Amino acid sequence: MPLNLPNLLTWARIVLIPLVVGAFYLPLPLYEQNLIATVAFTIAAVTDWFDGWLARKLGQTSAFGAFLDPVADKLMVAAALVVLVQLGRADALVAIVIIGREIAISALREWMAHLGAARSVAVSFVGKLKTTAQMLAIPMLLYYDPLPGIPIAAIGEALIWLAALLTLWSMGYYLGKAWPEIRSRGF
């Protein structure tokens, strides 16, 4: 495992997951718990963008980093969604759709890579839209409290449902891209 700045940022994202979850177990007022979880998640989300950019900029891409980055993303989003469901801020259906899609598409990508057809399920624009909607919705739902004139919870709820719809759309897109390979192998 190459120990470089991009990989350290990815590890930092994983280390922040217990803080996002654990904030709601601290003996603090709810608004402070919300703030701690939101800040931790937002820092993790920013490192998600920054570690990939930095790896490319510094020429420090690695197979380990390419493996660990999406794992960290999925762990972070899944942990936050479970917390949001527990708090009653997100519907279980949304969490099941998003987490289920992540597992299914990760498995599909692994299988397609094994077949030598990984390019057919490379990250798409709709996948990036889905991620953007998630990364905006989750901090809003973690924070939850309204800001002056801004109904944070309502915006977060709309965005998380949009993320769920984009999740289904992107899953259909990736399955459609993989289908010719699946069909050609008689599965």
Side-chain angles (χ1 to χ4, degrees):
M1 172 190 84
L3 197 57
N4 56 36
L5 186 55
N7 284 346
L8 287 173
L9 288 173
T10 303
W11 279 112
R13 194 159 66 251
I14 292 169
V15 169
L16 285 169
I17 294 168
L19 183 57
V20 171
V21 175
F24 294 101
Y25 291 92
L26 296 173
L28 297 170
L30 184 58
Y31 72 90
E32 289 180 19
Q33 293 173 341
N34 290 346
L35 184 60
I36 292 167
T38 303
V39 168
F41 186 89
T42 302
I43 290 169
V46 169
T47 67
D48 178 28
W49 173 83
F50 195 59
D51 66 0
W53 177 82
L54 204 54
R56 289 184 297 277
K57 179 96 171 150
L58 299 175
Q60 295 180 340
T61 59
S62 67
F64 182 76
F67 159 76
L68 188 62
D69 182 66
V71 170
D73 299 345
K74 286 156 187 49
L75 288 172
M76 180 179 64
V77 168
L81 286 171
V82 169
V83 166
L84 291 170
V85 168
Q86 181 181 8
L87 293 170
R89 298 178 186 180
D91 195 284
L93 179 61
V94 168
I96 290 166
V97 165
I98 292 173
I99 295 169
R101 179 262 187 208
E102 295 302 337
I103 293 167
I105 297 305
S106 291
L108 178 67
R109 284 190 174 128
E110 180 69 26
W111 183 61
M112 295 299 282
H114 178 72
L115 296 177
R119 287 183 194 226
S120 64
V121 287
V123 175
S124 70
F125 181 71
V126 70
K128 290 181 182 201
L129 283 177
K130 180 251 336 159
T131 299
T132 301
Q134 281 178 186
M135 295 307 180
L136 291 172
I138 291 172
M140 289 181 169
L141 292 171
L142 288 170
Y143 187 75
Y144 211 65
D145 297 322
L147 293 173
I150 304 172
I152 295 294
I155 296 169
E157 287 175 32
L159 284 171
I160 203 69
W161 280 101
L162 175 62
L165 290 173
L166 290 169
T167 293
L168 293 172
W169 182 8
S170 69
M171 186 168 74
Y173 174 83
Y174 291 126
L175 289 172
K177 288 293 206 176
W179 184 249
E181 190 67 34
I182 294 168
R183 196 176 54 190
S184 74
R185 296 186 182 262
F187 293 110

